[in-house]
Each structure stands twice: as structure tokens, then as C-alpha cells.
DNA sequence: CGGTATGTTGACAGTGATCAAGAAAGGTGG
DNA sequence: CCACCTTTCTTGATCACTGTCAACATACCG
């Protein structure tokens, strides 16, 4: 893991700070009890950072010791693995307010990288673990969090067996729901990242988007901004 | 969920009972501390069953309330979901000694079915949850268990992006390691289940096996028993 | 000993990958 | 602000892998 404070000119970078990391994390995951809020404060008390990263910078490398758990403040973070043949797989994108990287393994199985310019908080894993060992509420908080992540990965592993159109629609609706968006979907990461996440090539991704557009389900406002025209039909495709 | 004690003639069914569920669960997951053993005993104290199921019987249905967590005593259990178009996806196979189904959701997202004749124990979810709320050790035990499952599903979701040969080899080596087998791999479930798990058609599965056989990497002893001839080459294919 | 369920193989079709070219977007320096 | 360059995205033509349809083989069961 490399923690190196870097300075950027960062014109499009500054707005990120408008959001207070505390509030972001406290707010995330739908309100919750006051006890849960206390736990989130406990977790944030253990933080290091925030650290800034530019797109494509490595936050933690596959094989690094698992010293920290991560909390996204702004931007998008990807978890990925590159195979010998050069193929890359992305298992997840993490948005602001999301915590990830909890494990009992000594080393990371996946790299953690900035998919866009991003700001990330670090939380000492063994501090969390020590807290969980003493504090039942903290252990249960982590348990609930891990169970939720497990469920979303299970859902994803089912998706990966299906065709390109299905996978794309699923990705778009998921992204839209996580970003509380209107009918407008901002793709915050390059097509290459989305393609690697969905297990297809960027050409196929592009063509599949074009297909949905021709079918009148979505429209391209720009290549990074899509507009949903027929959310009912999209939803119906998913099951 | 249907818990109906059924009677079978069960000639090939009897041997399952040779294994004591207590010992199976206690033994599983690599020894562990004496405290961990105590936790496992606590969990087993909450059990219902054992229940017997014949191949393809439904143990819990997608949409059922999540009253129970499951523990496989003998046989193989699959977790799956069938889509509107008739396609079926299998997210996991569970072998004897494995516990699964922990969640905070009110209903199961996946069906649980017997992939072979199987014996399963049931554990009241809210009893476990109550125990975890009071007992830090129990909460941490469940946390560790869930984190391990998360990791294996993440690994799987990376696999699904790759080609049929890669997925098959990965499945075979994984199965071999989980069954502490020699070079002989027993496929305990029908090809259809394996194909659905790997996101391919049974014809493709069959052809891919034949491909590995022609390459001299494995041999077919019977259609349910494979022998690994060149484990080094197989391992090398995986990365 | 038939009958059903399961597994194997072949021929062909379709989806998505590959190779290649061009278009659009973003960043930099003049 | 524009020209230029690089990166990212789109589209077309072709190819490979996997799916589909069909026939046959094998195992399992009563």
C-alpha cells in the first residue's frame, strides 16, 4: 500500500471537499438507529487521511498486507485483478460513503484503484478488529455490512452468466439506484472499466449501448451521460 | 420452507449417517481454537433436523422467509435462481460441514435444493442472531464465516468473465481441494448443475472436458469420476 | 428388459471478440 | 482562443467460441 500525499492542480478536484466525510459515512446506508450512528462515529475516529488520488492511481496493490479498510469520500474506486494474459477483471465499484476491504486475510486478493479522481479514508484494520472483539455492537455492525456485500456479490455472480444486454441493463439500473439519480445516469468511470466489470470488450459495450438507444430505451446525452426513456421496459428486462 | 420428514428406501442413502453431524461441523474449517469449537457446539445446540432430501428436492424456496440457516451433513446442496426465460443460475455448491444462508433479509434471494441426495441441519436464524447480539465471540465467528464466503464469491465473480476452459479447470481444482481428494475428482452433481454453475451449456461442458482429456491433462474414469494426470499444467492455467 | 434420465458428439447459427479505421472529447502549449 | 495531440469512444468487417438443434450412447431404475 502506498500512502503518499500528492498535490494536484485539481480544478475539478476541489468540489469533492464540499462533502464532509463524516456526514457522508454517517448518512449512508439509510439512516439507521442512533446506536448505528455511534458506531459509525467510532469507526471514523480510527481514520487516516483523507488521501487524494488521481484517476488510475493505485490505492492498494494485490498482495499488499491488509493494514487498512477503505472508505470512499468522493469519486469512484475500483477493485480489480489483472491476469497473466493481460485481461483485467473488476469485481466492484465503490461510491462515496461506501466502506470496503474488510477481511481476515493477511494480504489483499484484489488491487484497489481510483476509477476517477477520488478521495479515500483509511481505517486501521486491526483497530477495527480489536473493537469488534470487545464490542458486540461493532462486531454486529461489521457482520451486517459484510452480509450485505456478500449478497450484492452473489447477485452479480448470477448476472455474469447472462448475455451482454442483460448485464448492461443491470449495471445501469444498479448505478442509477445507488446514485439516487433522476432518469439521468452519469457514468463516472471510463467505458474500459465498465467493460471489465461486466466481462465484455469495450466495443461490445459500445454496441450494446447503441442497441438500447436504437430500441428507444435510453438516449445518449454524451458518452458519459445516459438518459433513461423507458425505465419500465428496462426493469422488465431484469426479470 | 418445507420441512417434511420423508422415508426412502435409501440403499445408497444409509451410509450418510456414518458421519456424525456434530463431528463434521466441528472438524470443518481447519481445526480452530477451543473457543471456536465451543461456538460450533453452541450453534449445533440450536439445530433442527437432520432432514433428508432426495436429489432435486427443494429445501428452501426463493422468496421463503429466512427462518433458518443451513448446515450440510451429507451430499451436495445447491443455491440457485431460475429466471423467467427458464435459464437457471447456480451460485454455489455446499459440501458436508459447510454452513450457509446467513442473512438479514426477511426472505431468501435464492432457492436451496439438494443437488444429490443430502442430509441437512437447520438452525434458527433469530436464535443465532440473538446469540450474536449478546456474545461477541459468536458475532465474530459469524463475521469471519461471512467474510470467508464473501471472498470465495468474489473469486467466482472474477472467474465468470473468463472462457469455458478456464472456468472448468477452476471448478475442478476448487472441488478437488474442498474434497481433500487424491488425483481423483468425484463429480457429485449432474453435468447440468455444473454447467449452470459455470454459466455454460451442458454440451459445452462435455466438450470442454473432452478437450482437457485430449490435451492429456485429465482422464475420464467414468462420466462422474475424473482423474487428474497433469495437475501442474492445470494449476498453471489458473494464473 | 424396456423406459427414462443423463451424457456425448456432430453440424450449424449467433453472440461477442478481434482487427482496423475513424470520430469525439479532453488537455496542453502557443 | 485556437491548433495540436492524446485518450476515449464508436462503428464496420471478419473470426472464434459458445449456443442451438438433433442424433446417438450410456447409465439408472423399476
Amino acid at each position: 500500500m502506498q500512502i503518499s500525499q500528492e498535490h494536484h492542480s485539481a480544478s475539478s478536484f476541489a468540489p469533492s471537499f464540499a462533502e464532509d466525510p463524516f456526514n457522508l459515512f454517517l448518512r449512508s446506508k439509510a439512516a439507521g438507529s442512533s446506536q448505528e450512528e455511534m458506531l459509525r462515529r467510532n469507526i471514523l475516529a480510527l481514520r487516516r487521511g483523507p488521501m487524494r488520488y488521481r484517476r488510475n492511481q493505485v490505492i492498494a496493490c494485490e498482495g499488499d498486507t491488509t493494514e487498512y479498510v477503505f472508505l470512499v469520500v468522493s469519486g469512484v474506486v475500483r477493485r480489480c485483478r489483472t491476469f497473466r494474459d493481460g485481461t483485467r477483471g473488476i469485481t466492484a465499484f465503490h461510491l462515496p460513503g461506501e466502506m470496503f476491504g474488510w477481511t481476515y486475510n493477511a494480504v489483499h486478493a484484489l488491487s484497489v484503484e481510483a476509477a476517477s479522481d477520488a478521495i479515500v479514508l483509511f481505517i486501521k484494520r486491526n483497530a477495527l478488529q480489536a473493537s469488534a472483539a470487545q464490542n458486540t455492537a461493532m462486531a454486529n455492525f461489521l457482520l451486517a455490512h459484510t452480509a450485505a456485500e456478500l449478497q450484492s456479490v452473489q447477485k452479480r455472480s448470477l448476472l455474469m452468466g447472462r448475455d451482454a444486454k442483460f448485464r448492461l441493463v443491470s449495471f445501469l439500473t444498479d448505478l442509477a439506484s445507488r446514485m439516487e439519480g433522476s432518469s439521468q445516469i452519469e457514468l463516472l468511470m471510463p467505458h474500459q472499466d465498465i467493460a471489465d466489470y461486466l466481462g465484455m470488450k469495450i466495443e461490445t459495450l459500445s454496441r450494446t449501448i447503441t442497441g438500447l438507444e436504437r430500441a428507444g430505451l435510453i438516449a445518449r446525452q454524451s458518452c458519459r451521460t445516459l438518459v433513461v426513456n423507458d425505465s419500465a421496459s428496462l426493469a422488465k428486462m431484469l426479470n
Side-chain angles (χ1 to χ4, degrees), chain A:
Chain A
M1 158 124 45
Q2 51 183 74
I3 303 190
S4 54
Q5 193 69 265
E6 298 189 24
H7 270 291
H8 307 303
S9 50
S11 54
S12 69
F13 220 42
S16 312
F17 284 118
E19 190 64 79
D20 177 359
F22 284 78
N23 290 335
L24 244 175
F25 184 54
L26 291 175
R27 235 183 37 215
S28 70
K29 311 208 55 147
S33 62
S34 64
Q35 193 198 32
E36 183 159 321
E37 190 172 316
M38 189 199 70
L39 286 167
R40 291 174 182 276
R41 288 192 188 282
N42 284 352
I43 289 174
L44 285 170
L46 303 171
R47 79 188 183 286
R48 303 281 165 92
M51 303 292 305
R52 303 164 170 203
Y53 294 93
R54 309 212 74 156
R55 173 191 287 194
N56 292 328
Q57 273 191 316
V58 175
I59 297 168
C61 204
E62 182 190 338
D64 279 354
T65 57
T66 52
E67 262 185 285
Y68 295 97
V69 167
F70 310 96
L71 204 161
V72 183
V73 175
S74 77
V76 181
V77 173
R78 64 178 180 241
R79 305 181 75 186
C80 60
R81 176 148 156 53
T82 304
F83 297 92
R84 264 192 325 173
D85 65 2
T87 314
R88 185 183 65 166
I90 293 181
T91 59
F93 293 112
H94 296 285
L95 301 183
E98 295 179 10
M99 183 174 69
F100 65 95
W102 176 257
T103 179
Y104 289 92
N105 286 30
V107 298
H108 286 291
L110 299 163
S111 293
V112 178
E113 300 172 1
S116 68
D117 291 345
I119 298 174
V120 179
L121 291 183
F122 295 82
I123 297 151
K124 271 271 184 193
R125 182 174 71 89
N126 53 25
L128 263 191
Q129 196 163 347
S131 174
Q134 296 181 324
N135 181 344
T136 308
M138 177 63 84
N140 279 280
F141 174 82
L142 290 174
L143 177 54
H145 191 277
T146 306
E149 191 173 351
L150 173 58
Q151 188 141 0
S152 83
V153 179
Q154 270 174 344
K155 190 174 165 193
R156 178 177 139 70
S157 88
L158 273 177
L159 281 178
M160 292 299 283
R162 306 184 62 81
D163 72 9
K165 190 158 82 173
F166 191 99
R167 298 200 300 263
L168 175 60
V169 170
S170 167
F171 172 74
L172 292 177
T173 52
D174 180 57
L175 193 62
S177 74
R178 284 163 75 190
M179 292 180 57
E180 62 198 42
S182 50
S183 64
Q184 198 164 297
I185 302 177
E186 286 283 340
L187 303 178
L188 303 147
M189 64 293 284
H191 279 200
Q192 184 61 65
D193 284 2
I194 299 173
D196 287 348
Y197 177 69
L198 297 177
M200 61 182 79
K201 297 290 157 188
I202 53 171
E203 296 95 329
T204 303
L205 174 61
S206 194
R207 275 187 256 267
T208 309
I209 292 174
T210 304
L212 292 177
E213 197 179 18
R214 294 220 175 104
L217 299 173
I218 63 172
R220 262 192 261 243
Q221 192 162 307
S222 79
C223 69
R224 291 287 186 96
T225 309
L226 304 177
V227 179
V228 177
N229 287 332
D230 187 351
S231 58
S233 297
L234 283 182
K236 211 164 53 180
M237 287 176 59
L238 289 179
N239 182 25

